[in-house]
């Protein structure tokens, strides 16, 4: 059975229980951008000339648009149900945890630097590092390049991360920000939080070429977390142990000092899903399927596909389990609390390998 269908079944089983909890604890909050759940077919929607917007394709597909989507009707229906349940899961979690998830009632333009804007196709993509963001940035460069690019995989990875190559929402005026948040289709991709964390650790602290991370974070982590560290380790910072990385993340001093780096920052802090209503929540576990659905809604699915290839170095669930074997139950519990909202909001179960206190 497909992962997406399994998720629909699982979410069906829990939705009544979640709703019962959430509706009793709803707290009304006035947001700076006033992004409330609304019908996407009101006067706020401004379509591309001569075509329908992705929002309309998502929420009110026509017979013609249904024919363009290369899925049989039962699968298309399941896809629509799945994405509605994912949206509801985010909304219900925000309501149930309003005190924790909405500590800040006001967003500033600086909070929107992860939201990439595609004017031509009326899309806003919040990128989350270690969740296929390199390939999605490549796709956004193709979509916004107006013919400059055609094959996303021909764009070098380092070029995809050059900030000048993509426009982000914080570069607009406040009225322009509000208009785009109301009128464009907003989406993001998420991943099992601890698998994403292990992926970030492996990439940033076990690869010799990441000297900038070793210098900025590795030296700091070793100084704080390693007793009797050698001068060489303090100088280079290139041999951080996963246990030391976890201790650094749960250290209250770390969280007071500065925000987490984007590679291990929580998704709810990067993309603010309790303040911004995302129309689509894609998952790493169904990456290709969800990505191509976004491209279909944008009207480019017939000629643009998400890059499909097997990455041999990919961090797996089995690998993540091994990394957590040497983490104490106390530290596991504290780390889970840091990422708890991401687990709840995006419907990830507590990992079976955790020994929570």
């Amino acid at each position: 059975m497909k992962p997406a269908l399994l998720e629909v079944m699982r979410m069906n089983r829990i939705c009544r229980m979640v709703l019962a909890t959430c509706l009793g604890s709803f707290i009304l909050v006035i947001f700076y951008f006033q992004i409330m759940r609304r019908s996407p077919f009101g006067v706020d929607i401004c379509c591309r000339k001569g075509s329908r917007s992705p929002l309309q394709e998502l929420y009110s597909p026509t017979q013609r648009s249904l024919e363009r989507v290369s899925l049989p009707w039962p699968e298309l229906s399941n896809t629509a149900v799945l994405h509605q349940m994912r949206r509801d899961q985010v909304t219900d979690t925000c309501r149930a945890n309003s005190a924790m998830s909405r500590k800040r009632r006001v967003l500033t333009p600086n909070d929107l630097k992860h939201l990439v804007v595609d004017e031509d196709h009326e899309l806003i993509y919040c990128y989350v590092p270690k969740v296929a963001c390199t390939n999605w940035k490549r796709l956004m460069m193709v979509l916004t390049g107006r013919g400059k690019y055609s094959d996303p995989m021909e764009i070098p990875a380092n070029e995809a991360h050059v900030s000048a190559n993509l426009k982000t929402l914080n570069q607009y005026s406040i009225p322009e920000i509000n208009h785009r948040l109301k009128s464009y289709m907003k989406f993001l991709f998420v991943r099992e939080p601890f698998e994403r964390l292990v992926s970030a650790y492996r990439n940033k602290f076990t690869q010799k070429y990441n000297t900038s991370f070793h210098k900025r974070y590795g030296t700091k982590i070793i100084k704080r977390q390693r007793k009797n560290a050698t001068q060489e380790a303090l100088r280079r910072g290139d041999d951080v142990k996963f246990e030391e990385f976890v201790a650094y993340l749960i250290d209250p001093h770390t969280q007071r000092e500065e925000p987490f780096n984007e590679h291990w920052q929580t998704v709810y802090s990067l993309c603010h899903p309790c303040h911004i209503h995302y129309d689509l929540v894609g998952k790493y576990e169904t990456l290709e399927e969800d990505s191509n659905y976004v491209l279909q809604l944008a009207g480019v699915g017939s000629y643009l596909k998400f890059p499909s290839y097997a990455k041999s170095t990919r961090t797996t669930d089995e690998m993540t389990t091994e990394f957590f074997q040497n983490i104490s139950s106390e530290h596991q519990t504290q780390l889970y609390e840091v990422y708890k909202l991401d687990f709840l909001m995006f419907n990830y179960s507590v990992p079976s390998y955790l020994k929570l206190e």
Side-chain angles (χ1 to χ4, degrees):
M1 191 176 292
K2 291 186 176 181
L5 294 180
L6 288 172
E7 186 183 355
V8 169
M9 294 169 64
R10 180 169 178 268
M11 294 185 78
N12 261 324
R13 288 198 299 270
I14 68 170
C15 77
R16 286 184 185 145
M17 180 174 62
V18 171
L19 282 173
T21 304
C22 297
L23 291 175
S25 58
F26 174 73
I27 297 177
L28 180 63
V29 178
I30 299 176
F31 304 123
Y32 179 66
F33 290 119
Q34 298 181 344
I35 305 158
M36 310 299 289
R37 293 194 67 181
R38 67 184 76 198
S39 166
F41 310 111
V43 294
D44 289 329
I45 299 300
C46 178
C47 306
R48 291 165 290 162
K49 187 175 181 180
S51 62
R52 289 160 52 81
S53 74
L55 276 183
Q56 290 173 316
E57 294 289 348
L58 174 63
Y59 292 108
S60 182
T62 63
Q63 183 61 36
R64 184 178 177 185
S65 62
L66 290 176
E67 290 170 355
R68 284 203 307 266
V69 179
S70 55
L71 287 174
W73 173 251
E75 284 194 34
L76 183 61
S77 178
N78 285 332
T79 298
V81 170
L82 170 65
H83 286 288
Q84 181 60 56
M85 294 181 79
R86 287 179 182 175
R87 287 190 291 271
D88 290 344
Q89 178 77 10
V90 172
T91 301
D92 296 337
T93 303
C94 291
R95 288 176 177 173
N97 299 273
S98 57
M100 181 178 178
S101 64
R102 291 172 176 164
K103 289 179 181 178
R104 298 177 56 195
R105 299 193 178 196
V106 174
L107 292 182
T108 66
N110 190 51
D111 294 312
L112 307 175
K113 59 187 178 183
H114 272 248
L115 278 70
V116 177
V117 179
D118 173 8
E119 298 276 2
D120 294 337
H121 302 91
E122 298 184 359
L123 298 173
I124 294 176
Y125 160 57
C126 184
Y127 72 89
V128 178
K130 309 312 299 179
V131 193
C133 78
T134 300
N135 279 347
W136 254 109
K137 284 183 176 181
R138 284 168 163 152
L139 283 170
M140 294 298 282
M141 287 175 68
V142 173
L143 291 170
T144 60
R146 301 191 176 184
K148 183 178 180 182
Y149 309 99
S150 58
D151 181 355
M153 294 310 290
E154 289 182 355
I155 301 173
N158 63 326
E159 191 173 334
H161 294 293
V162 174
S163 58
N165 287 334
L166 291 167
K167 193 166 185 178
T168 50
L169 198 57
N170 62 312
Q171 296 173 259
Y172 293 85
S173 68
I174 297 300
E176 289 172 332
I177 289 172
N178 282 323
H179 167 70
R180 282 155 183 77
L181 284 171
K182 289 186 287 186
S183 304
Y184 288 13
M185 188 178 80
K186 301 165 294 295
F187 67 98
L188 75 163
F189 279 80
V190 300
R191 184 178 186 177
E192 201 280 340
F194 285 169
E195 185 179 298
R196 174 176 169 246
L197 186 66
V198 169
S199 178
Y201 166 78
R202 291 179 65 222
N203 178 246
K204 301 305 175 187
F205 295 108
T206 68
Q207 303 297 322
K208 295 302 181 184
Y209 60 79
N210 268 323
T211 54
S212 61
F213 272 81
H214 302 159
K215 291 291 186 183
R216 179 172 180 183
Y217 296 102
T219 54
K220 185 186 302 183
I221 292 171
I222 291 172
K223 182 178 180 180
R224 290 185 188 171
Q225 306 301 333
R226 186 178 301 178
K227 294 180 180 179
N228 304 317
T230 66
Q231 288 300 311
E232 180 76 359
L234 291 169
R235 182 178 67 83
R236 295 174 63 90
D238 62 352
D239 65 341
V240 173
K241 296 179 176 65
F242 186 65
E243 299 93 309
E244 295 169 336
F245 180 53
V246 169
Y248 164 78
L249 293 174
I250 62 177
D251 185 347
H253 180 72
T254 301
Q255 299 176 42
R256 288 195 301 267
E257 184 181 54
E258 62 179 348
F260 280 178
N261 178 273
E262 63 178 10
H263 291 85
W264 49 84
Q265 180 60 282
T266 59
V267 175
Y268 79 84
S269 295
L270 290 176
C271 297
H272 310 286
C274 290
H275 295 76
I276 297 171
H277 174 64
Y278 285 91
D279 303 289
L280 274 175
V281 177
K283 291 199 168 185
Y284 193 75
E285 296 76 16
T286 50
L287 176 61
E288 193 171 337
E289 178 183 342
D290 293 344
S291 296
N292 288 329
Y293 184 50
V294 171
L295 295 173
Q296 289 281 1
L297 293 169
V300 299
S302 61
Y303 60 88
L304 187 60
K305 303 291 183 185
F306 187 81
S308 176
Y309 69 99
K311 193 174 182 181
S312 59
T313 59
R314 176 185 176 276
T315 300
T316 62
D317 180 61
E318 292 77 14
M319 204 178 291
T320 303
T321 302
E322 290 180 17
F323 272 90
F324 272 84
Q325 292 305 306
N326 295 325
I327 306 300
S328 69
S329 58
E330 179 185 5
H331 282 189
Q332 287 185 7
T333 302
Q334 291 175 296
L335 190 68
Y336 178 77
E337 286 301 314
V338 173
Y339 293 92
K340 183 177 179 179
L341 271 184
D342 280 4
F343 275 99
L344 297 175
M345 198 170 292
F346 305 116
N347 198 36
Y348 287 108
S349 303
V350 177
S352 59
Y353 55 79
L354 286 191
K355 305 180 290 290
L356 300 182
E357 293 186 342

